[in-house]
């Protein structure tokens, strides 16, 4: 299909398309009717250029580029969603290089396979997304400098929330909206209603339109919605990509991460379930924007390889490091990806994407990268907008999903009895908590830390999600551990959120593993990290500070279990010879990550980077067996009743390829 830029010109009821490059028709091999597919193209049709999408009017006409058409040829439009839905039009005029066909009066918006039929022969031209437009001739209103119509299938959609990032309004009964805007953000955007979608550019949903900064100019921005059923849907939460064209990250993403994500999308969409992706920030790495010529523009083609709509979120590393000002540093993100905060609805769930980074970047100036420092807080303007956005939701039992980059809560600590202690981390996190306090169910999705942890407090449950890039692509780098593991021992991965009405379930999916891979167990008798075994080019003296307690041998018959998706409603059970063992929750370092990152960096003659080092986390559990070589049965049950087990034969070696 031709992906070149096209210009659409609406003249009365006739839509013409100009600016094509020469890509011809596409031939397929099957048909839903009795017409014979003309694989040899005996119709002598050529030079057809099919756009990916086009706006049409019911009972209007459309002109396309193509040769060999005849007046009276039938144009057939077969729905790609439901093959029983077929509309037909007629070629009403032709020129040497164009043909014009009629649009049926009962035509509906959607994706269609387009065929031309002449007598008993049929030729498939390709697929087009048709948007049936509404009457968008609306009057000006004094004092309102942005206006528009939100419509679907030719009719205005009432009750749609529209915003410029500061003011919030709702469409009237005819789908019309008006805003008095300072036009500061440069956008007007809609909160896409549940059971609707917008068109995508690549994989990016086009829920926003750009406006000028002229307050005196009245600008009209209309939005077309496509009716879908997404009451049941799946969202993949994808944190911390850090694509920077280093550590063979692009190859790792393309060969390992992307196939896993798209396989998950295919799995859940195979029965018609709508699947979406939601990034959680740090799509790029600001420190390498200019030295490696890889920034947000270069991220986009990799995002577009994901076979689902992708809603983006800005992280601290997605700011321009040449600017020591939060607003100016965000301009590149706005230019390439759109608003830095917004909301949308999928089914019955309301999603809000927020920017939790106030970029300071001391010393940054044109041509000079600053220190890239920042505060973890929400701007006051953003908080005021959030109040207005949430005020449009009158049913406070509506599930709310807040997506932010830096966490609301710190990684939990444990008291002397292993009980979890939660502490707010976001500088104005208490303000955010108060804003959402009226809602009964609020989930916060965050990234930034490259580890997994969960906090549940009152009506809020935060899910800090480990990284797509794991340890900044180091452990999966060619010649390294080849296990793509995060600082807490979690495999690199992403969240899978399964929504069905108000019912919400989730899990963490490890890249390269099935969904039931939810923990890893260590026989601590076999965990003795020495340079001779894991970093032969280094020394024990250099390795010991990173090896922690594992620098010394153990003979205590203890087993350590890393349950990366754990929350307080999970249950960990271990039996030995059918006898239960006492399970204690502990905060520990993951041995596999130590030998996968720190040991291999030392072995290469490099000093491990502080931010990449193995981190103590509280999703570990310890048991003490009675003998050195007994077999243990480990049973982990999540909050939804799913059971994951391992029959652990001991001794179990600590190796780079262990599960």
């Amino acid at each position: 299909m031709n992906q070149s830029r096209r210009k659409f010109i609406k003249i009365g009821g006739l839509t013409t398309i100009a600016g094509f490059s020469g890509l011809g028709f596409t031939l397929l091999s099957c048909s839903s009717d009795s017409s014979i597919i003309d694989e040899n193209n005996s119709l002598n049709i050529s030079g057809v250029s099919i756009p990916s999408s086009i706006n049409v009017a019911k009972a209007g006409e459309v002109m396309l580029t193509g040769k060999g058409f005849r007046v009276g040829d039938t144009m057939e439009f077969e729905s790609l969603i439901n093959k029983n839905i077929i509309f037909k039009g007629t070629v009403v005029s032709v020129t040497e290089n164009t043909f014009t066909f009629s649009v049926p009066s009962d035509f509906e918006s959607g994706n269609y396979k387009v065929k031309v039929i002449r007598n008993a022969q049929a030729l498939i031209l390709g697929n087009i997304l048709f948007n049936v437009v509404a009457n968008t001739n609306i009057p000006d209103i004094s004092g309102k400098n942005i206006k528009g119509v939100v419509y679907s299938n030719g009719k205005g959609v009432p009750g749609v929330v529209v915003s410029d990032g500061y003011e919030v309004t709702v469409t009237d009964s005819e789908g019309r909206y008006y805003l008095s805007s300072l036009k500061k953000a440069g956008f007007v955007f809609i909160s896409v209603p549940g059971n609707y979608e917008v068109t995508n550019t690549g994989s990016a949903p086009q829920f926003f339109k750009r406006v000028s900064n002229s307050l005196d100019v009245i600008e009209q921005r209309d939005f077309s919605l496509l009716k879908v059923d997404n009451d049941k849907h799946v969202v993949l939460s994808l944190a911390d990509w850090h694509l920077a064209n280093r550590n063979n990250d692009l190859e790792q993403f393309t060969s390992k991460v992307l196939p896993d994500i798209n396989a998950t999308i295919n799995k859940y969409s195979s029965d018609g379930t709508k699947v979406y992706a939601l990034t959680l920030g740090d799509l790029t790495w600001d420190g390498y924007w200019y030295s490696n010529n890889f920034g947000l523009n270069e991220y986009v083609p990799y995002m577009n390889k994901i076979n689902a709509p992708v809603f983006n979120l800005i992280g601290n590393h997605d700011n321009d490091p040449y600017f020591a000002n939060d607003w100016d540093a965000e301009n590149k993100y706005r230019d390439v990806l759109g608003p830095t905060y917004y909301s949308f609805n999928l089914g019955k769930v309301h999603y809000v994407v927020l920017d939790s980074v106030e970029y300071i970047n001391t010393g940054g100036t044109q041509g000079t990268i600053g220190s890239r420092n920042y505060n973890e807080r929400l701007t006051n303007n953003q908080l005021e907008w959030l109040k207005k956005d949430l005020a449009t939701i009158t049913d406070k039992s509506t599930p709310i999903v807040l997506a932010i980059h830096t966490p609301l809560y710190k990684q939990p600590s444990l008291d002397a009895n292993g009980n979890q202690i939660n502490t707010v981390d976001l500088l104005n996190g208490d303000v955010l908590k108060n804003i959402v306090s009226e809602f009964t169910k609020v989930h916060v999705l965050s990234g930034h830390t490259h580890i997994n942890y969960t906090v549940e407090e009152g009506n809020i449950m935060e899910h800090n999600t480990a990284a797509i890039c794991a340890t900044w692509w180091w452990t999966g780098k060619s010649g390294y551990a080849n296990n793509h593991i995060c600082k807490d021992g979690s495999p690199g991965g992403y969240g899978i959120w399964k929504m069905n009405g108000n019912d919400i379930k989730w899990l963490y999916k490890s890249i390269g593993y099935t969904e039931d891979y939810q923990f890893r167990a260590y026989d601590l008798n076999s965990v003795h990290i020495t340079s001779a075994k894991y970093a032969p080019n280094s020394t024990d003296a250099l390795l010991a500070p990173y090896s922690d307690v594992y620098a010394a041998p153990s003979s205590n018959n203890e087993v350590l279990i890393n349950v990366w998706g754990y929350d307080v409603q999970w249950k960990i059970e271990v039996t030995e010879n059918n006898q239960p063992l006492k399970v204690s929750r502990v905060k520990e370092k993951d041995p596999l990550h130590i030998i996968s990152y720190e040991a291999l960096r030392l072995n290469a003659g490099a000093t491990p980077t502080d931010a990449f080092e193995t981190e103590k986390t509280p999703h570990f559990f310890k048991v003490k067996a009675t003998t050195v070589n007994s077999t243990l049965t480990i049973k982990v049950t999540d909050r939804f009743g799913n059971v994951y087990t391992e029959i652990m034969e001991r001794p179990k070696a600590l190796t780079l390829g262990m599960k």
Side-chain angles (χ1 to χ4, degrees):
M1 186 175 291
N2 190 353
Q3 298 298 321
S4 63
R5 180 169 294 179
R6 304 172 178 88
K7 183 178 181 182
F8 295 88
I9 309 167
K10 189 77 180 296
I11 307 173
L14 177 65
T15 303
T16 64
I17 306 171
F20 295 112
S21 64
L23 180 66
F25 47 80
T26 302
L27 294 178
L28 302 178
S29 60
C30 61
S31 175
S32 61
D33 60 22
S34 59
S35 301
I36 299 173
I37 296 299
D38 186 14
E39 295 185 353
N40 295 320
N41 189 23
S42 60
L43 297 180
N44 293 319
I45 287 175
S46 64
V48 179
S49 197
I50 296 294
S52 58
S53 65
I54 183 173
N55 293 334
V56 300
K58 292 184 178 183
E61 295 178 350
V62 175
M63 179 187 293
L64 294 177
T65 299
K67 297 181 178 181
F69 291 85
R70 297 179 184 175
V71 173
D73 284 347
T74 297
M75 300 295 296
E76 183 178 277
F77 315 99
E78 178 187 292
S79 170
L80 296 180
I81 303 299
N82 183 348
K83 291 188 176 182
N84 293 320
I85 299 177
I86 296 175
F87 295 97
K88 293 187 177 181
T90 303
V91 174
V92 295
S93 65
V94 296
T95 68
E96 182 180 357
N97 295 307
T98 68
F99 65 103
T100 300
F101 60 86
S102 60
V103 176
S105 59
D106 57 348
F107 196 67
E108 297 180 356
S109 297
N111 285 285
Y112 292 90
K113 180 199 303 180
V114 181
K115 290 190 291 188
V116 57
I117 300 172
R118 185 182 302 155
N119 299 321
Q121 300 296 107
L123 182 69
I124 297 175
L125 303 180
N127 299 333
I128 303 181
L129 168 61
F130 287 99
N131 281 320
V132 177
V133 299
N135 178 10
T136 56
N137 295 319
I138 62 174
D140 295 342
I141 293 181
S142 178
K144 307 292 185 179
N145 55 3
I146 302 178
K147 66 176 184 176
V149 179
V150 182
Y151 61 87
S152 178
N153 202 32
K155 296 181 180 179
V157 180
V160 178
V161 176
V162 187
S163 178
D164 64 352
Y166 295 85
E167 300 303 321
V168 173
T169 190
V170 177
T171 57
D172 64 16
S173 61
E174 297 181 32
R176 303 174 302 183
Y177 74 89
Y178 293 88
L179 281 168
S180 297
S181 176
L182 295 176
K183 299 184 179 179
K184 181 172 174 58
F187 301 103
V188 59
F189 54 87
I190 61 171
S191 186
V192 182
N195 292 316
Y196 286 96
E197 290 180 345
V198 290
T199 58
N200 301 323
T201 295
S203 294
Q206 297 303 291
F207 59 88
F208 63 91
K209 299 209 172 174
R210 300 181 188 274
V211 295
S212 73
N213 59 5
S214 176
L215 301 184
D216 296 329
V217 175
I218 298 174
E219 300 178 76
Q220 180 164 344
R221 299 292 183 266
D222 304 320
F223 294 89
S224 175
L225 298 175
L226 300 171
K227 188 69 176 172
V228 298
D229 180 0
N230 57 20
D231 262 3
K232 179 183 178 184
H233 67 272
V234 170
V235 170
L236 308 185
S237 55
L238 311 176
D240 295 271
W241 300 38
H242 286 285
L243 294 179
N245 195 23
R246 64 187 296 276
N247 284 351
N248 71 299
D249 54 355
L250 305 181
E251 189 278 329
Q252 289 187 63
F253 178 82
T254 302
S255 66
K256 299 176 183 179
V257 175
L258 182 67
D260 194 288
I261 291 172
N262 281 338
T264 297
I265 292 169
N266 291 339
K267 171 185 174 179
Y268 286 102
S269 63
S270 62
D271 65 353
T273 298
K274 288 289 185 177
V275 181
Y276 307 85
L278 173 60
T279 69
L280 296 178
D282 282 0
L283 315 170
T284 60
W285 197 337
D286 50 349
Y288 295 93
W289 273 23
Y290 297 105
S291 61
N292 283 8
N293 295 315
F294 197 99
L296 292 167
N297 278 313
E298 290 69 33
Y299 154 78
V300 169
Y302 292 91
M303 172 198 74
N304 287 340
K305 295 177 186 290
I306 291 178
N307 296 332
V310 179
F311 292 92
N312 282 298
L313 183 155
I314 188 172
N316 54 291
H317 289 291
D318 301 318
N319 286 272
D320 192 332
Y322 281 178
F323 291 90
N325 173 280
D326 183 54
W327 182 267
D328 292 336
E330 293 170 348
N331 277 335
K332 177 60 73 173
Y333 183 94
R334 282 187 283 265
D335 287 346
V336 176
L337 294 176
T340 58
Y341 57 91
Y342 56 94
S343 69
F344 59 95
N345 302 273
L346 300 174
K348 293 181 171 60
V349 183
H350 185 66
Y351 295 81
V352 183
V353 172
L354 298 172
D355 172 14
S356 61
V357 175
E358 183 182 45
Y359 200 65
I360 299 171
N361 193 33
T362 303
T365 186
Q366 195 64 36
T368 301
I369 293 177
S371 61
R372 298 182 293 129
N373 53 323
Y374 54 89
N375 292 323
E376 298 178 19
R377 66 180 296 272
L378 299 164
T379 62
N380 291 334
N381 285 333
Q382 193 173 181
L383 290 170
E384 290 303 312
W385 169 85
L386 178 61
K387 293 175 186 177
K388 296 173 183 177
D389 177 81
L390 294 179
T392 64
I393 303 174
T394 56
D395 181 0
K396 302 307 178 182
S397 67
T398 299
I400 306 295
V401 175
L402 300 180
I404 56 178
H405 178 60
T406 62
L408 173 60
Y409 289 92
K410 293 180 179 179
Q411 179 196 153
S413 57
L414 301 178
D415 65 17
N417 297 316
N419 297 312
Q420 183 167 311
I421 301 171
N422 303 323
T423 307
V424 171
D425 191 30
L426 197 68
L427 289 178
N428 48 4
D430 287 330
V431 177
L432 177 62
K433 289 170 60 178
N434 184 61
I435 290 174
V436 300
S437 61
E438 290 185 314
F439 292 89
T440 57
K441 186 187 297 183
V442 179
H443 290 276
V444 178
L445 307 186
S446 57
H448 186 60
T449 63
H450 297 232
I451 63 175
N452 278 304
Y453 65 81
T454 305
V455 172
E456 191 168 5
E457 188 174 75
N459 66 325
I460 294 175
M461 187 171 187
E462 178 168 17
H463 312 258
N464 189 245
T465 306
I468 287 289
C469 75
T471 304
W472 288 263
W473 303 106
W474 272 109
T475 68
K477 180 183 177 181
S478 178
Y480 271 71
N482 195 32
N483 57 18
H484 203 57
I485 187 174
C486 298
K487 298 189 302 177
D488 62 344
S490 303
Y494 50 92
I496 299 178
W497 288 76
K498 307 172 188 178
M499 316 299 204
N500 193 352
N502 288 332
D503 182 60
I504 300 177
K505 293 183 173 64
W506 60 87
L507 60 86
Y508 180 80
K509 168 72 168 66
S510 299
I511 293 166
Y513 297 91
T514 59
E515 291 179 12
D516 61 359
Y517 183 54
Q518 293 293 326
F519 69 90
R520 184 189 308 111
Y522 299 95
D523 180 359
L524 293 183
N525 287 351
S526 301
V527 177
H528 181 203
I529 299 178
T530 64
S531 61
K533 190 168 185 179
Y534 298 106
N537 295 331
S538 187
T539 66
D540 283 340
L542 291 173
L543 183 58
Y546 303 101
S547 301
D548 200 56
V549 296
Y550 312 122
S554 173
S555 57
N556 294 328
N557 299 335
E558 291 179 319
V559 168
L560 185 68
I561 307 166
N562 185 352
V563 187
W564 38 79
Y566 175 81
D567 67 55
V568 294
Q569 292 194 28
W570 286 45
K571 187 177 182 181
I572 318 299
E573 300 170 281
V574 182
T575 58
E576 180 187 41
N577 298 321
N578 295 320
Q579 297 300 310
L581 299 178
K582 180 183 177 182
V583 179
S584 300
R585 187 180 180 189
V586 294
K587 192 170 185 178
E588 297 287 359
K589 289 186 176 182
D590 185 89
L592 180 56
H593 188 265
I594 296 171
I595 66 171
S596 300
Y597 177 67
E598 288 100 316
L600 293 183
R601 292 301 289 142
L602 291 169
N603 196 58
T607 301
T609 303
D610 290 349
F612 304 175
E613 291 175 17
T614 309
E615 187 168 344
K616 281 191 174 182
T617 47
H619 50 69
F620 284 87
F621 299 84
K622 189 176 283 188
V623 299
K624 184 177 176 65
T626 60
T627 65
V628 173
N629 58 3
S630 59
T631 297
L632 306 184
T633 299
I634 303 172
K635 178 182 176 183
V636 174
T637 307
D638 69 18
R639 70 190 287 137
F640 305 114
N642 300 305
V643 178
Y644 315 100
T645 60
E646 179 184 346
I647 306 301
M648 184 184 183
E649 296 182 356
R650 302 167 56 242
K652 179 180 179 181
L654 173 63
T655 66
L656 292 176
M658 72 182 299
K659 287 186 65 177

